[in-house]
Amino acid sequence: MSGTGGGGNGNGSGPRKRIVAVEAYCIGCRLCEINCLVKRSRSRKILKAFRRERDAVVPGIRVEESGHVSFALQCRHCDDAPCIAACITGAMHRDPATGAVVCDESRCAGCWSCVMVCAVGAVRPGKKRKVASKCDLCMGEEMPVCVAGCPNEALRYEER
Amino acid sequence: MTANGRGPAPWRRRDEKDIGGCAISGILSEEGRRFNGKAILESIATMRERSNGLGGGFAAYGIYPEQADRFALHLMFDRPAARDAVERVLPEYVRVPHEETIPTRPVRGISSPPLLHRYFVEVRTEILGEDEREEDAIVRLVMHINSAMEGAYVFSSGRNMGIFKGVGYPEEIGRFFRLDEYEGYLWLAHGRFPTNTPGWWGGAHPFGLLDWAVVHNGEISSYGVNRRYLENFGYRCTLRTDTEVIAYLFDLLLRKQRLPLQDACRVLAPPFWSQIERLPPAERQRLRTLRIVYGGALLNGPFSVLVGHGGGMIGLNDRTKLRPMSFARKDATVYVASEEAAIRRVCPSPDEVGLARGGVPVLGPRPREVSLA
Amino acid sequence: MRKWLVQPDFVVERDPERCVQCQVCVRQCANDVHSYDAEDGAVLSDSARCVGCHRCATLCPTGAISIRQSELEFRCNSNWTPGLIRNLYRQAEGGGVLLSGMGSDRPLKVYWDHLLLNASQVTNPSIDPLREPMELATFIGRKPDRVAYARTDRGAELQTVLEPQLELPFPILFSAMSYGSISLNAALALARAAHETGTLGNSGEGGMHRDVRPYAGNMIVQVASGRFGVDVEYLNRAAAIEIKIGQGAKPGIGGHLPGEKVDAAVSETRMIPEGTDALSPAPHHDIYSIEDLRQLVFAIKEATRYGKPVGVKIAAVHNVAAIASGCVRAGADYVAIDGFRGGTGAAPTVIRDHVGIPIEFALAAADARLREEGIRNRASLIAAGSFRSSADVVKAVALGADAVYVATAALVAMGCHLCQRCYTGKCNWGIATQDPYLTRRLNPEVATRRLVNLLRSWAFEIKEMLGGMGINAIESLRGNREHLRAVDLTEAELEVLGVKAAGVGA
């Protein structure tokens, strides 16, 4: 296996910001899931995305709920990521800039080893295409859209 | 009919508030040496441009030495009947050993003066209430005449001092009242630039009560607060002028409540909270207490005032210094005026010249606490 | 049985072009207005349940929802208005006393809107608050008429020591909103915002929850007729104590917290059983006359060793000036007057809408009366009862208030949409509720930030208005009615307010 950052668990070297959920403030509205879906869609427009791509896109964030307690859960971008270790093609790798764990879809074989091995259940099978789907910290955006779009500031983007 | 027979005096007490105008000057001999009124006339004449001829006046101290113990009441009347009415009321409060018409001379520019008369009076002690002193009785008498008696107005009520004022440029008023024939140790002068129509001689400055004479340049934006505050203590502000509240505030703080002079000035023009916070603890506590207790006496808005009293003169600017005041000293004489030119005209080479600082009083005589009976 | 006569107040409109069936509205409406039909794949709305709180419309990511007044229109009738008719239907179907939340919405004159402020020109320069000091510092408490000196050889030494004062950075405090009527998150946010800006909040008659105690130094605690939560530690913890005699929204009756809003924490803080209605008695049963009030004032002063101001809050009624004077003579360090438009979590609608007088008159009358009697210095006046903007605050100070209490404005800043259904305990914004599903919706950090923003922006605006009037210290505005002019008021109204008509000069 070769390639930049492929294989093994390299440590990120840049500023490591992570998404943190504040359970007390989550209102269970699921706008985070909606915003993530829109961001990952091709059209990036909510009306079009929901009409055409709702069944094709899997959001990288999911709200867990029990009674009145709820919070949003996504990939923890673990330092010691089991999904990277389990990946048979090296598609799952760590981005050196942010330290985030990212799936290179062009290499993903759709074996779902990562889905099975994730303790948090943060990796999910894609719907239309057979690739693993998970949070990538909205690579390229100043702030992940789930954080920016939470109406009650129940998600934070902080150095960890 | 007026004294010179020319039709009814323009006696119009407006309901609109008078805006203080615009030239003041004061000369004090710290040694109490009496000097001629010509000096103050020259000084105020220098600032003719600051007035518009619609009001001028003077206060002179030490001018009645042979009657120094009596209160010299200066009154103006719009008709003889008003004078008769007042003369019926006076004996209820005072004895009048001496009275006379105030001497005047005709001056071009001064027209339709009211009847002008002065009474040298002694308070009948039997009419004094409990805890009342002679001054309180005189104040009562003045308030009564000025608020209740039609066509009569007391414009001076101090001892061994007098206010002379009317409608005209100050130097003309000064010549009209023959001030060059008087000698006093303290002279104040004022020239007015009113923004409402004048006509009433009583509206000019100085405004006086007892020994206090106030000349004022500015507009007090806290007038509504100050007036209601003074009403708590029994003062009736009938004239709708800023100058009236200033005079009453000085009377309240200094004569009735006996605050030290510096504290009284700091009540009227206090330092900013940000300045108070930086003071040493004892000073800070003192100023905090004063400011919290006397919020209603704070004078807000631009002002430059000169206050005369038996013991001297106080010059004070508002704390943001929005009106001019220069002062100078030569030997034992203190000069204060709106413009330095007005001082240099009568004192070409003073020992010391400066600009008054916002909120810091200029005092003559030099600070040692002035005792005010 | 269905209440046939009661028809919806609002119509929920969903734009089919914009609705993407994301179901945020379904999840967020506490009144179950919206639902998802899986079979048809559509979100449906039952307008009958809608209270007009706009929660759904605010969160909808596509802006697909709008809420309109019900279109079921009656024949025009100026006497039998739709509101009155609907209230009759509700009473006919339900029996009982109709309740409302928040302040009276009746179309009486709002006198603040008839008062206009002055500005300086030519004869007196206005002051620029960005470049010059502009002082809003306000002191609430008893003040002497004069100071006393001791003449020593060092000069005159100031002897006067002031009675306890509350020092505020600007003339605004948060009015009483009881924990119980509002959620803990809301109460916390108010306390924190008060702490952060240096002003004070008011616990209302709900007692003080332990989470609020760190901010007790910025809190006034209330001793109301129900004495909820009152013990000696409660009194001593706070910055000041307020005896609540009355409230503007419901003069003559006591506070009212429906049982739905009394959960375990409220029960513990108020010291009452869970689920019971907290109905405060109408009078304090130990205050039947003014001398009884004086006893209570001094009992509290003794209990707090005279270290804190003790105030009295009264509702604005016809005789408010005399009552205020009585309170001052009973030893109150401040008198808070709550006017007709004051808000509440729950009040009988008829009382809210028909009892009491507007604060503008009450304030003017009380201020004038205290001055006439020469006792204005003995107590500060705090005005309450619908201050909607910084301009209302400035006008109140000009009429004579030392400071104003704001409550409704603070709640609106936190997200309230004035749907007036606070008494149901189903506040969708997490403010007037104890339901744990709903209280989460008010993030106290966000709410605190919004409240601080509100106070700071009002403080700046007040400075601008003062500067425009040529004033640089709030003392010079307090009671300065010369800076007010009125439009469209009767002679009698002008006289009570002590204000001249616009066009009349100084």
Side-chain angles (χ1 to χ4, degrees):
Chain A
M1 284 180 273
S2 62
T4 51
N9 299 329
N11 282 325
S13 54
R16 296 173 54 92
K17 281 188 152 182
R18 295 288 174 263
I19 299 176
V20 177
V22 185
E23 174 262 308
Y25 304 154
C26 176
I27 60 178
C29 66
R30 292 176 169 74
L31 277 167
C32 47
E33 293 180 6
I34 294 167
N35 287 322
C36 185
L37 190 154
V38 174
K39 161 98 181 15
R40 287 161 167 245
S41 66
R42 251 179 308 132
S43 61
R44 303 279 205 110
K45 295 192 172 102
I46 185 168
L47 293 180
K48 207 159 174 177
F50 266 76
R51 259 177 218 131
R52 292 175 183 273
E53 302 180 60
R54 191 182 204 145
D55 295 325
V57 180
V58 177
I61 189 168
R62 187 174 71 242
V63 173
E64 298 280 334
E65 201 167 356
S66 170
H68 63 262
V69 177
S70 59
F71 59 93
L73 185 61
Q74 74 285 94
C75 168
R76 312 313 306 148
H77 302 282
C78 312
D79 286 342
D80 195 11
C83 56
I84 293 181
C87 179
I88 59 176
T89 63
M92 199 63 84
H93 67 282
R94 192 174 297 278
D95 169 59
T98 59
V101 176
V102 180
C103 174
D104 179 351
E105 295 192 354
S106 63
R107 303 175 92 151
C108 177
C111 73
W112 310 143
S113 307
C114 53
V115 175
M116 288 187 283
V117 97
C118 176
V120 186
V123 191
R124 288 191 274 165
K127 283 195 182 146
K128 266 271 170 72
R129 296 180 57 222
K130 282 189 157 264
V131 291
S133 177
K134 61 180 282 309
C135 168
D136 61 0
L137 290 183
C138 286
M139 307 271 286
E141 302 286 335
E142 176 137 348
M143 174 165 301
V145 296
C146 55
V147 176
C150 174
N152 212 28
E153 297 187 19
L155 290 169
R156 293 199 185 126
Y157 192 44
E158 290 174 347
E159 299 239 337
R160 279 296 157 118
Chain B
M1 288 294 249
T2 61
N4 58 10
R6 271 205 226 141
W11 190 276
R12 290 168 56 206
R13 246 197 195 153
R14 309 262 332 160
D15 284 330
E16 294 205 357
K17 185 159 93 72
D18 173 48
I19 313 284
C22 278
I24 62 178
S25 180
I27 308 175
L28 165 73
S29 161
E30 291 184 314
E31 293 163 337
R33 183 184 55 82
R34 294 166 60 221
F35 53 95
N36 191 278
K38 275 207 279 274
I40 193 72
L41 276 151
E42 274 201 52
S43 176
I44 196 78
T46 317
M47 298 188 285
R48 191 180 174 90
E49 282 303 303
R50 296 182 74 95
S51 313
N52 65 357
L54 297 177
F58 299 83
Y61 289 75
I63 52 170
Y64 300 129
E66 63 286 344
Q67 312 225 40
D69 292 331
R70 297 177 181 154
F71 291 92
L73 302 180
H74 291 192
L75 276 91
M76 57 176 79
F77 307 103
D78 67 349
R79 65 199 105 105
R83 179 175 155 188
D84 294 336
V86 166
E87 290 184 353
R88 280 195 292 274
V89 164
L90 285 178
E92 294 171 24
Y93 293 78
V94 296
R95 284 183 296 275
V96 189
H98 183 70
E99 54 148 304
E100 61 193 9
T101 308
I102 300 180
T104 61
R105 64 161 76 91
V107 168
R108 207 153 71 127
I110 307 291
S111 62
S112 314
L115 301 171
L116 294 158
H117 215 76
R118 58 190 174 197
Y119 302 81
F120 295 90
V121 307
E122 291 160 359
V123 176
R124 292 177 51 214
T125 46
E126 55 273 27
I127 62 128
L128 290 177
E130 207 181 300
D131 289 339
E132 231 196 356
R133 307 174 64 161
E134 293 183 337
E135 288 81 359
D136 299 306
I138 293 292
V139 170
R140 263 201 293 133
L141 170 62
V142 170
M143 298 275 165
H144 174 66
I145 296 174
N146 288 354
S147 57
M149 302 194 70
E150 186 78 33
Y153 179 61
V154 182
F155 61 97
S156 188
S157 50
R159 275 190 273 227
N160 195 10
M161 60 83 68
I163 290 175
F164 304 86
K165 64 184 187 180
V167 174
Y169 280 99
E171 55 274 19
E172 290 162 359
I173 292 285
R175 284 201 301 279
F176 172 79
F177 278 106
R178 297 161 64 168
L179 294 184
D180 48 295
E181 295 173 13
Y182 294 79
E183 310 246 308
Y185 62 87
L186 165 61
W187 291 88
L188 300 180
H190 183 270
R192 206 173 143 210
F193 197 139
T195 46
N196 58 341
T197 339
W200 186 43
W201 279 50
H205 298 203
F207 176 82
L209 182 69
L210 299 173
D211 285 0
W212 301 107
V214 178
V215 292
H216 163 231
N217 167 16
E219 181 176 337
I220 305 297
S221 49
S222 55
Y223 172 80
V225 174
N226 304 130
R227 180 173 58 88
R228 298 180 77 207
Y229 177 74
L230 286 164
E231 282 168 6
N232 276 342
F233 298 97
Y235 294 86
R236 293 277 155 264
C237 301
T238 52
L239 289 188
R240 307 205 60 75
T241 69
D242 296 331
T243 326
E244 189 181 19
V245 302
I246 296 172
Y248 293 162
L249 282 170
F250 271 101
D251 187 55
L252 171 71
L253 296 172
L254 291 174
R255 185 177 66 86
K256 298 221 72 146
Q257 295 201 354
R258 305 180 56 77
L259 264 67
L261 190 50
Q262 290 277 11
D263 280 357
C265 291
R266 285 192 289 200
V267 161
L268 298 172
F272 294 108
W273 287 116
S274 52
Q275 292 169 314
I276 295 178
E277 289 310 304
R278 290 199 289 268
L279 293 169
E283 262 301 275
R284 182 169 73 227
Q285 191 52 29
R286 186 186 187 114
L287 279 164
R288 248 176 87 90
T289 305
L290 286 175
R291 220 181 136 169
I292 290 174
V293 174
Y294 289 105
L298 200 169
L299 289 174
N300 219 301
F303 65 81
S304 197
V305 296
L306 263 184
V307 180
H309 58 94
M313 153 169 91
I314 306 164
L316 188 62
N317 273 146
D318 71 276
R319 57 208 194 131
T320 48
K321 189 78 178 108
L322 291 169
R323 285 285 194 274
M325 180 181 279
S326 298
F327 67 89
R329 287 183 203 277
K330 176 139 184 105
D331 301 326
T333 307
V334 180
Y335 302 83
V336 181
S338 300
E339 293 181 10
E340 193 178 319
I343 299 174
R344 294 246 181 216
R345 182 89 172 102
V346 293
C347 175
S349 46
D351 300 329
E352 182 194 337
V353 166
L355 293 170
R357 285 195 354 242
V360 178
V362 173
L363 299 171
R366 289 181 198 270
R368 78 187 136 72
E369 201 170 314
V370 179
S371 84
L372 299 146
Chain C
M1 285 292 284
R2 179 178 157 176
K3 296 183 178 176
W4 285 93
L5 289 177
V6 181
Q7 289 296 302
D9 289 329
F10 295 99
V11 174
V12 179
E13 277 192 344
R14 182 179 298 277
D15 182 348
E17 303 283 304
R18 299 195 71 82
C19 178
V20 294
Q21 294 87 41
C22 69
Q23 299 175 54
V24 171
C25 54
V26 174
R27 289 189 271 272
Q28 286 291 293
C29 180
N31 298 296
D32 298 321
V33 169
H34 308 287
S35 57
Y36 180 64
D37 184 326
E39 206 178 11
D40 290 342
V43 178
L44 307 170
S45 305
D46 177 8
S47 293
R49 297 164 171 273
C50 178
V51 299
C53 76
H54 300 179
R55 182 75 177 175
C56 55
T58 307
L59 289 183
C60 173
T62 59
I65 303 175
S66 65
I67 311 292
R68 287 191 293 107
Q69 302 276 10
S70 164
E71 281 163 337
L72 208 59
E73 293 185 11
F74 293 95
R75 180 189 284 275
C76 283
N77 193 322
S78 299
N79 189 24
W80 293 94
T81 59
L84 282 170
I85 297 175
R86 291 207 192 99
N87 281 346
L88 287 170
Y89 291 149
R90 284 197 193 102
Q91 287 190 303
E93 295 282 23
V97 170
L98 288 175
L99 293 179
S100 289
M102 305 308 270
S104 180
D105 54 9
R106 290 192 63 222
L108 300 178
K109 261 187 206 173
V110 178
Y111 290 88
W112 299 126
D113 293 340
H114 289 261
L115 294 172
L116 297 170
L117 297 168
N118 195 16
S120 288
Q121 274 191 121
V122 178
T123 54
N124 180 354
S126 49
I127 300 177
D128 186 348
L130 289 177
R131 299 184 176 93
E132 311 261 2
M134 184 63 65
E135 303 186 298
L136 302 184
T138 298
F139 295 86
I140 303 290
R142 172 174 289 239
K143 300 168 183 70
D145 281 340
R146 57 189 294 172
V147 293
Y149 290 88
R151 257 76 180 176
T152 69
D153 357 281
R154 282 190 305 272
E157 306 248 312
L158 189 67
Q159 298 272 288
T160 305
V161 174
L162 290 176
E163 297 211 24
Q165 306 283 318
L166 298 173
E167 185 172 345
L168 311 173
F170 40 67
I172 307 170
L173 310 96
F174 289 130
S175 189
M177 284 174 274
S178 65
Y179 165 54
S181 72
I182 59 174
S183 65
L184 181 60
N185 281 343
L188 260 175
L190 288 163
R192 279 200 204 146
H195 176 74
E196 212 173 294
T197 52
T199 183
L200 293 158
N202 190 313
S203 69
E205 53 185 317
M208 192 185 290
H209 190 279
R210 89 181 73 85
D211 289 357
V212 177
R213 283 184 205 165
Y215 308 103
N218 287 85
M219 295 295 289
I220 300 174
V221 292
Q222 256 194 7
V223 173
S225 57
R227 305 288 159 90
F228 298 122
V230 176
D231 60 24
V232 72
E233 270 139 32
Y234 168 79
L235 297 178
N236 275 303
R237 216 176 268 138
I241 296 109
E242 182 173 280
I243 300 174
K244 179 207 169 186
I245 299 293
Q247 171 180 5
K250 42 191 158 172
I253 69 174
H256 181 180
L257 184 66
E260 296 95 314
K261 292 168 94 172
V262 183
D263 69 354
V266 173
S267 152
E268 183 187 330
T269 306
R270 290 205 182 202
M271 309 201 270
I272 58 171
E274 214 175 312
T276 50
D277 287 345
L279 291 166
S280 306
H284 288 243
H285 282 297
D286 56 357
I287 304 178
Y288 286 162
S289 69
I290 195 69
E291 57 270 21
D292 296 340
L293 174 63
R294 189 178 165 84
Q295 273 194 351
L296 182 62
V297 168
F298 281 96
I300 294 174
K301 287 190 176 183
E302 290 278 335
T304 54
R305 288 189 246 296
Y306 295 86
K308 302 168 196 285
V310 175
V312 176
K313 177 175 177 181
I314 56 176
V317 295
H318 304 316
N319 209 14
V320 68
I323 295 169
S325 167
C327 291
V328 172
R329 292 178 195 281
D333 297 312
Y334 71 85
V335 178
I337 305 178
D338 196 6
F340 168 74
R341 295 266 187 196
T344 175
T349 312
V350 280
I351 305 250
R352 187 193 72 165
D353 288 345
H354 297 277
V355 185
I357 65 172
I359 186 61
E360 296 91 324
F361 293 122
L363 172 62
D367 176 67
R369 172 72 67 97
L370 293 177
R371 281 174 199 269
E372 266 160 42
E373 297 187 4
I375 55 174
R376 181 64 182 87
N377 253 4
R378 288 201 211 159
S380 299
L381 278 179
I382 303 181
S386 193
F387 291 98
R388 309 153 299 161
S389 71
S390 52
D392 289 349
V393 177
V394 169
K395 294 170 189 175
V397 175
L399 279 184
D402 286 89
V404 312
Y405 265 147
V406 297
T408 305
L411 295 179
V412 170
M414 289 197 278
C416 168
H417 278 64
L418 285 162
C419 72
Q420 299 188 34
R421 300 300 183 98
C422 327
Y423 57 91
T424 62
K426 288 198 193 166
C427 174
N428 263 310
W429 294 87
I431 299 171
T433 177
Q434 305 303 332
D435 182 335
Y437 281 95
L438 303 176
T439 53
R440 300 165 73 79
R441 296 184 184 183
L442 189 70
N443 180 336
E445 290 170 36
V446 176
T448 303
R449 190 191 322 140
R450 288 179 174 154
L451 291 168
V452 170
N453 282 346
L454 178 77
L455 291 175
R456 291 213 171 119
S457 47
W458 280 20
F460 282 132
E461 288 177 340
I462 293 170
K463 288 185 179 185
E464 291 274 1
M465 285 182 273
L466 280 187
M469 287 185 252
I471 290 175
N472 61 12
I474 193 112
E475 295 99 307
S476 301
L477 179 66
R478 187 164 295 125
N480 193 347
R481 297 174 193 188
E482 291 294 331
H483 282 305
L484 292 173
R485 288 295 185 271
V487 286
D488 209 10
L489 293 184
T490 64
E491 284 289 319
E493 288 166 336
L494 291 179
E495 173 132 2
V496 176
L497 293 172
V499 172
K500 297 176 187 149
V504 174

